[in-house]
Amino acid sequence: MARYAYVNGRYVDHREASVHIEDRGYQLADGVYEVVGVRGGKLIDEVPHIDRLDRSLRELRIDWPVSRNTLGFIIRELMRRNRLHDGLVYMQVTRGVARRDHAFPTTPVKPALVLTTKNTKHIVADAGAGVAVKSQPDIRWGRCDIKTVALLPNVLAKQAARESGAYEAWLVDSKGCVTEGASTNAWIVTGEGELVTRQTDSGILAGITRLKLKSICDSLQLKLVERPFTLAEAKKAKEAFITSATSFVTPVVKIDGDAVGDGKVGNTARRLREEYVRFSETGEAVT
Ligand code: PDD
């Protein structure tokens, strides 16, 4: 079956899809993106994802390439053409094509819009067994709240993790605190059963999965504190887990080779994962 990509107004064969060599996303990482999960043919948390795209665009003063409604239509049309049932939709907006200059183009350019889809049914099904993470220094810029395609520090951290046999990197700031994962938000459960995840500020991306999980925690009457936590605290935690559109809620059973708690998937992470999966399938959580 042919797989389509959407590139600047056209649905094209994925293998042939291409952008201009002077696209500012390609040359300068001058662009933003979103990744939205799809379960049972439905987008998970579409509205907050598109709201975050809107925020990222505004922060970088990039215009919307199409209207919000049109983007919704394009997403669905691409899903339909690719028969996407379970997986991900990737969308990227860059400032557009212009003669290379660091400053914004002085004449108006049309922002470039690219969408792809990916089938990931198996990843979702398998991630419940728990993963290992490896700590890495957080060497990113000061605006991690913007979801830009400038991901080189994240790429290097993830690669270091993978080379050590870990699934994710946990980024650690100059104070010894875990900010977030290379492409996930980081959570721990303390010995007292309190959930802890870093507060959203310019140091992390405000994850949409994280946001949903906050409301699930509320419904389950779990105590959640948003504050920095150190790597040392994480290593002594009862449980740990990560959240993202790609990993949902995935238990962390090892940090830098040391077992978290008893080294097995904890009850809190397992329950939260179940509730999130339920929400992704039905649009409702907590029964
Ligand atoms: N990453 N933190 C970072 C740095 C991320 O890149 C992501 C998402 C998250 C979690 O956000 P959300 O829950 O909205 O997916 C946190 C996407 C999935 C990616 O880059 O593939």
Side-chain angles (χ1 to χ4, degrees), residues 33-35 49 52 90 140 144 147 151 154 171 180-185 204-210 243-246:
Y33 75 105
E34 274 299 323
V35 179
H49 275 285
R52 187 173 63 186
Y90 176 83
R140 300 174 301 162
C144 298
K147 197 160 173 61
L151 290 171
N154 309 57
L171 307 177
E180 61 182 331
S183 63
T184 56
N185 287 119
I204 68 165
L205 183 78
I208 304 303
T209 320
R210 174 190 182 282
T243 56
S244 71
T246 44

Side-chain angles (χ1 to χ4, degrees), residues 13-222:
D13 185 331
H14 190 272
R15 289 166 304 183
E16 312 277 306
S18 59
V19 293
H20 195 282
I21 56 168
E22 286 198 303
D23 187 290
R24 289 178 61 92
Y26 176 61
Q27 289 192 328
L28 303 160
D30 188 1
V32 300
Y33 75 105
E34 274 299 323
V35 179
V36 187
V38 174
R39 289 284 275 172
K42 291 214 177 66
L43 293 152
I44 305 169
D45 259 345
E46 176 183 6
V47 172
H49 275 285
I50 305 302
D51 285 347
R52 187 173 63 186
L53 178 65
D54 179 56
R55 178 180 185 276
S56 297
L57 289 169
R58 276 188 288 116
E59 290 297 322
L60 298 184
R61 291 192 275 152
I62 298 174
D63 292 334
W64 268 79
V66 292
S67 73
R68 208 174 149 134
N69 274 349
T70 304
L71 179 62
F73 173 82
I74 295 167
I75 293 170
R76 283 167 182 79
E77 177 58 17
L78 192 65
M79 285 168 58
R80 188 188 68 75
R81 287 183 185 232
N82 288 342
R83 295 192 203 143
L84 186 72
H85 195 69
D86 293 303
L88 300 164
V89 175
Y90 176 83
M91 54 195 102
Q92 177 179 306
V93 183
T94 66
R95 199 177 304 277
V97 176
R99 207 168 69 156
R100 188 174 180 278
D101 181 359
H102 288 63
F104 296 173
T106 47
T107 51
V109 290
K110 208 173 155 31
L113 175 63
V114 168
L115 277 86
T116 56
T117 66
K118 192 171 167 185
N119 191 317
T120 60
K121 189 165 18 188
H122 306 300
I123 296 174
V124 171
D126 293 347
V131 297
V133 301
K134 178 180 168 60
S135 61
Q136 286 289 291
D138 191 344
I139 57 168
R140 300 174 301 162
W141 71 325
R143 290 302 308 273
C144 298
D145 56 310
I146 306 174
K147 197 160 173 61
T148 81
V149 294
L151 290 171
L152 194 51
N154 309 57
V155 166
L156 296 178
K158 184 82 88 174
Q159 182 61 19
R162 292 284 162 86
E163 283 174 14
S164 76
Y167 172 78
E168 175 62 309
W170 269 12
L171 307 177
V172 179
D173 68 14
S174 56
K175 297 193 178 103
C177 292
V178 175
T179 50
E180 61 182 331
S183 63
T184 56
N185 287 119
W187 301 64
I188 57 170
V189 183
T190 66
E192 290 73 47
E194 202 169 81
L195 281 109
V196 183
T197 192
R198 190 202 153 93
Q199 74 281 2
T200 51
D201 53 21
S202 57
I204 68 165
L205 183 78
I208 304 303
T209 320
R210 174 190 182 282
L211 184 65
K212 183 69 212 179
L213 214 64
K214 272 176 60 173
S215 75
I216 294 178
C217 287
D218 263 2
S219 315
L220 294 175
Q221 296 184 323
L222 294 174

